[in-house]
């Protein structure tokens, strides 16, 4: 009897054990469905990238000799939902079983768990064989504890996988070199051009448009820049090593209008659709560093390793430990909707204009742009976490809920009340100016808290501090800010709060 094996669009792991041998009783199915294109307004580059990578993967499997059924978005018999398509195919081929890999998103996990009952045939689930930790990885590290710390998790990962270790000690004697990775870009530093693959995805683009899929953002569909297969993804990592690793760590937090990629690897899309694995990626980078230790310092490679085996794996374990409740957390009770210019970039605030415009053009912004520009503004203005989640999940090519919602609702918006982050990530204009050059060409005055052209971040920052005193005063990392606020002249406090209220009432005009 035939077995139907489902491969989701973010499960493109050609090294999976499923594909190690040819079995003519196994029918692999891949599908482009409106169920997945429509649950949020995705960036056109995200939809194109996933579809192009899926089609390339399907071709690879077919060339290897596997039986593959590929349902395009434009196929007339496409039911546009995963269960409906599976039911049709299972009946057509008289399949005795359906097999699938663990979905990375809770909603899909719940949907596929019901397959067996809904279809009347057994189903079996397999690991994706991608991540370095299982879904319940927190149990091993934290046991029954309810408080989690990424640094603890990260050190355990380094030990368990012998990464950047000298026996039982970290290479260099220090686990975390983040303090060395917070510098502003020097004006004369040469930034490498980003590697772009210039793939013609015209046919897929027109199929998406003809199907009526509603997307956001821009794309040059004759020169699609992102990798869509394993070879290109590995090439992108090599390019990062040879051209950007030397300065990555030091300037990973830097903000600039000179480059949309700076020294970042941009490997997250390839990782998140599983074209490459986290372990092979960090090993490739570490091996290059070991061969070039005279010119590349330890903080450059440690910063990269921490993002992947620390933060990325940590966020996935947090997701599966806390869902579905995590998706409803709203610690501050925020209710505002996003200003409409979050979908256009048409704001006078230079930092937000540039970050949003870049995101719409490239489906990409690095972590500080996401955290300390857009996320910072959302938190200070009391945007509902649902609004934040939908925006981040839609606009970035690497955004999948397991990694998006933990970063957005957790770290960025502090909606979980401190489960993910030890303090709210908020700042006034001073941090933004410290890390980049946005403020120099902005109409708003970075130094002013009040006045028509005072930087909105300044008064909104102190308004947030004042408004949330009861919730945050006991946080030891917030104590200093409350002391600073309490020492400000009372009249100046009143003026600052009035200025913040004016901005909150006129977000559309900023």
């Amino acid at each position: 009897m035939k077995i139907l094996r489902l491969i989701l669009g973010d499960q493109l792991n050609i090294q999976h054990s499923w594909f190690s041998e040819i079995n003519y009783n196994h029918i692999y199915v891949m599908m482009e469905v409106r169920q997945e294109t429509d649950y949020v307004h995705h960036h056109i580059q995200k939809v194109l990238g996933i579809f192009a990578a899926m089609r390339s993967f399907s071709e690879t499997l077919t060339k290897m000799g596997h039986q593959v059924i590929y349902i395009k978005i434009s196929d007339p018999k496409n039911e546009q939902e995963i269960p409906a398509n599976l039911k049709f195919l299972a009946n057509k081929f008289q399949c005795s079983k359906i097999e699938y890999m663990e979905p990375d998103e809770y909603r899909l996990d719940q949907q596929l768990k019901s397959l067996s009952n809904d279809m009347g045939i057994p189903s079996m689930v397999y690991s994706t064989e991608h991540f370095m930790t299982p879904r319940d990885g927190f149990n091993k590290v934290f046991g029954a504890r309810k408080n989690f710390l990424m640094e603890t998790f990260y050190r355990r990962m380094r030990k368990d996988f012998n990464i950047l270790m000298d026996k039982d000690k970290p290479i260099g004697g220090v686990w975390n070199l983040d303090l060395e990775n917070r510098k502003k870009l020097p004006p004369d530093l040469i930034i490498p051009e980003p590697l772009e693959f210039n793939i013609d995805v015209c046919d897929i683009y027109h199929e998406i448009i003809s199907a009526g899929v509603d997307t956001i953002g821009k794309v040059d569909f004759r020169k699609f820049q992102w990798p869509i297969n394993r070879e290109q993804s590995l090439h992108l990592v090599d390019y990062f090593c040879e051209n950007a690793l030397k300065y990555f760590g030091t300037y990973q937090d830097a903000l600039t209008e000179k480059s949309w990629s700076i020294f970042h690897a941009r490997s997250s899309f390839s990782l998140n659709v599983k074209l490459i694995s986290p372990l092979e990626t960090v090993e490739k980078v570490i091996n290059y560093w070991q061969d070039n230790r005279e010119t590349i310092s330890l903080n450059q490679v440690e910063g990269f390793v921490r993002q992947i085996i620390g933060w990325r794996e940590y966020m996935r374990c947090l997701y599966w430990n806390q869902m579905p409740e995590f998706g409803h957390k709203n610690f501050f009770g925020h209710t505002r909707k996003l200003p409409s210019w979050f979908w256009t970039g048409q704001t006078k605030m230079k930092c937000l204009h540039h970050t949003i415009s870049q995101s719409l053009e490239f489906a990409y912004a690095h972590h500080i742009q996401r955290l300390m520009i857009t996320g910072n503004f959302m938190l200070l203005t009391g945007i509902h976490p649902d609004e934040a989640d939908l925006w981040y999940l839609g606009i970035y090519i690497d955004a999948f809920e397991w990694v998006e919602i933990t970063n957005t609702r957790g770290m960025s918006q502090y909606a979980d009340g401190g489960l993910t982050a030890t303090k709210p990530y908020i700042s006034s204009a001073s941090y933004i100016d410290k890390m980049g050059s946005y403020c120099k060409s902005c109409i708003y005055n970075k130094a002013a808290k009040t006045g028509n052209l005072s930087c909105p971040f300044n008064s909104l920052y102190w308004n947030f501090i004042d408004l949330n005193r009861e919730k945050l005063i006991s946080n030891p990392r917030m104590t200093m800010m409350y002391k600073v606020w309490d020492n400000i002249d009372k009249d100046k406090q009143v003026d600052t709060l009035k200025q913040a209220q004016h901005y909150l009432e006129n977000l559309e005009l900023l």
Side-chain angles (χ1 to χ4, degrees):
M1 295 290 285
K2 299 289 186 180
I3 295 175
L4 198 61
R5 284 182 161 180
L6 172 66
I7 305 171
L8 296 174
D10 62 345
Q11 296 179 338
L12 311 182
N13 177 12
I14 200 64
Q15 296 180 308
H16 195 278
S17 58
W18 269 8
F19 313 125
S20 60
E21 62 179 14
I22 307 299
N23 188 325
Y24 295 107
N25 287 321
H26 293 159
I27 302 173
Y28 293 97
V29 59
M30 303 177 70
M31 59 184 80
E32 304 165 358
V33 287
R34 295 295 294 270
Q35 168 192 315
E36 295 304 290
T37 62
D38 293 5
Y39 73 95
V40 70
H41 280 98
H42 295 289
H43 199 295
I44 182 61
Q45 292 185 38
K46 183 180 181 183
V47 181
L48 275 170
I50 293 173
F51 282 10
M54 288 172 65
R55 294 187 186 193
S56 175
F57 192 82
S58 172
E59 291 174 4
T60 299
L61 288 181
T62 301
K63 289 177 181 177
M64 292 170 64
H66 296 287
Q67 295 184 81
V68 183
I69 296 174
Y70 193 95
I71 304 174
K72 294 183 178 181
I73 194 75
S74 57
D75 286 346
K77 292 186 178 180
N78 188 345
E79 298 282 355
Q80 302 298 344
E81 289 187 349
I82 293 172
N85 282 332
L86 289 176
K87 186 174 183 178
F88 172 79
L89 293 173
N91 289 334
K92 178 180 179 179
F93 293 101
Q94 297 183 321
C95 295
S96 61
K97 184 190 297 185
I98 291 179
E99 297 180 343
Y100 63 93
M101 298 182 225
E102 287 180 332
D104 288 324
E105 299 198 3
Y106 181 84
R107 63 184 178 86
L108 287 174
D109 188 66
Q110 294 300 298
Q111 184 183 55
L112 294 181
K113 278 181 176 177
S114 64
L115 280 177
S116 187
N117 289 335
D118 293 346
M119 299 179 62
I121 59 174
S123 62
M124 181 175 292
V125 60
Y126 292 78
S127 166
T128 60
E129 301 175 10
H130 169 83
F131 292 97
M132 299 165 67
T133 49
R135 283 182 177 180
D136 62 351
F138 271 11
N139 294 340
K140 181 179 179 181
V141 178
F142 300 109
R145 281 182 286 171
K146 300 298 182 181
N147 295 320
F148 313 125
L149 190 64
M150 196 282 283
E151 184 66 22
T152 302
F153 180 90
Y154 171 53
R155 294 184 185 188
R156 180 64 175 266
M157 292 288 287
R158 291 267 297 270
K159 292 177 181 177
D160 286 353
F161 290 89
N162 193 30
I163 293 174
L164 292 178
M165 297 295 295
D166 182 8
K167 297 180 180 178
D168 61 341
K169 303 291 183 183
I171 289 177
V174 179
W175 289 101
N176 188 319
L177 295 168
D178 188 49
L179 291 176
E180 298 181 26
N181 295 353
R182 302 176 183 178
K183 292 187 178 180
K184 188 174 185 174
L185 283 172
D188 58 346
L189 187 64
I190 297 175
I191 301 173
E193 289 295 319
L195 175 62
E196 300 178 359
F197 292 93
N198 297 326
I199 305 161
D200 190 335
V201 291
C202 177
D203 291 345
I204 306 176
Y205 174 81
H206 287 302
E207 286 182 53
I208 292 169
I209 299 303
S210 296
V213 178
D214 190 14
T215 60
I216 59 173
K218 304 174 183 178
V219 69
D220 182 346
F221 51 76
R222 297 197 182 278
K223 293 183 178 180
F224 187 74
Q225 64 204 14
W226 296 96
I228 62 168
N229 58 44
R230 177 171 170 79
E231 291 71 29
Q232 291 171 349
S233 299
L234 291 171
H235 181 35
L236 187 62
V237 178
D238 287 335
Y239 185 87
F240 164 71
C241 291
E242 295 164 6
N243 296 276
L245 179 59
K246 183 177 180 180
Y247 296 114
F248 166 74
T250 303
Y251 303 113
Q252 66 174 317
D253 288 0
L255 301 168
T256 184
E257 297 173 68
K258 293 181 179 180
S259 169
W260 66 274
S261 61
I262 320 180
F263 297 103
H264 292 270
R266 297 186 297 115
S267 58
S268 51
F269 173 70
S270 295
L271 282 164
N272 291 353
V273 297
K274 302 178 183 57
L275 292 171
I276 52 178
S277 77
L279 186 57
E280 72 176 328
T281 301
V282 297
E283 286 179 343
K284 181 181 277 284
V285 173
I286 290 171
N287 289 339
Y288 186 88
W289 167 73
Q290 288 176 332
D291 292 338
N292 296 273
R293 292 177 71 160
E294 292 183 0
T295 57
I296 302 176
S297 57
L298 177 61
N299 69 300
Q300 318 298 346
V301 69
E302 188 277 324
F304 182 83
V305 167
R306 183 167 11 101
Q307 284 191 0
I308 294 182
I309 74 161
W311 200 244
R312 184 173 184 268
E313 294 282 330
Y314 179 80
M315 286 303 200
R316 176 176 179 263
C317 289
L318 177 68
Y319 179 81
W320 287 107
N321 183 272
Q322 294 293 313
M323 286 296 284
E325 293 79 12
F326 194 90
H328 303 289
K329 291 183 180 294
N330 189 357
F331 179 68
F332 295 112
H334 287 165
T335 59
R336 282 191 180 86
K337 298 186 76 67
L338 276 176
S340 61
W341 46 258
F342 257 82
W343 305 100
T344 66
Q346 298 305 307
T347 170
K348 296 186 290 292
M349 287 177 285
K350 192 58 177 287
C351 58
L352 282 157
H353 166 72
H354 178 261
T355 298
I356 295 170
S357 298
Q358 175 188 300
S359 301
L360 290 168
E361 184 174 359
F362 298 105
Y364 175 83
H366 71 68
H367 63 287
I368 295 300
Q369 289 176 301
R370 302 187 198 193
L371 178 65
M372 299 308 299
I373 303 297
T374 51
N376 185 15
F377 183 84
M378 290 180 193
L379 182 52
L380 294 181
T381 54
I383 303 300
H384 196 295
D386 287 354
E387 292 272 301
D389 282 338
L390 291 175
W391 188 80
Y392 282 104
L393 186 58
I395 202 166
Y396 293 119
I397 194 169
D398 57 6
F400 295 85
E401 190 186 63
W402 65 271
V403 70
E404 174 275 323
I405 197 171
T406 43
N407 276 286
T408 299
R409 192 174 290 257
M411 185 180 188
S412 173
Q413 299 305 292
Y414 204 77
D416 62 3
L419 183 66
T420 309
T422 56
K423 64 179 282 293
Y425 277 87
I426 53 174
S427 80
S428 63
S430 60
Y431 174 83
I432 297 170
D433 185 49
K434 174 185 175 183
M435 297 308 301
S437 58
Y438 291 137
C439 298
K440 292 180 180 178
S441 57
C442 185
I443 190 173
Y444 292 105
N445 184 350
K446 66 183 180 182
K449 295 184 181 67
T450 58
N452 289 337
L453 294 179
S454 61
C455 176
F457 277 99
N458 292 334
S459 57
L460 291 171
Y461 175 82
W462 290 115
N463 179 73
F464 180 89
I465 293 292
D466 184 75
L467 185 65
N468 295 293
R469 176 184 289 271
E470 185 177 335
K471 289 181 179 290
L472 298 175
I473 189 65
S474 61
N475 186 320
R477 297 195 65 192
M478 299 298 293
T479 302
M480 180 59 69
M481 288 300 97
Y482 279 101
K483 287 181 179 179
V484 172
W485 175 241
D486 290 341
N487 286 328
I488 293 176
D489 179 81
K490 296 301 179 184
D491 289 339
K492 290 184 178 180
Q493 284 188 354
V494 170
D495 290 343
T496 299
L497 297 179
K498 284 183 178 179
Q499 183 67 61
Q501 190 60 36
H502 171 74
Y503 283 144
L504 289 171
E505 292 171 357
N506 295 277
L507 291 182
E508 289 289 345
L509 302 179
L510 293 179

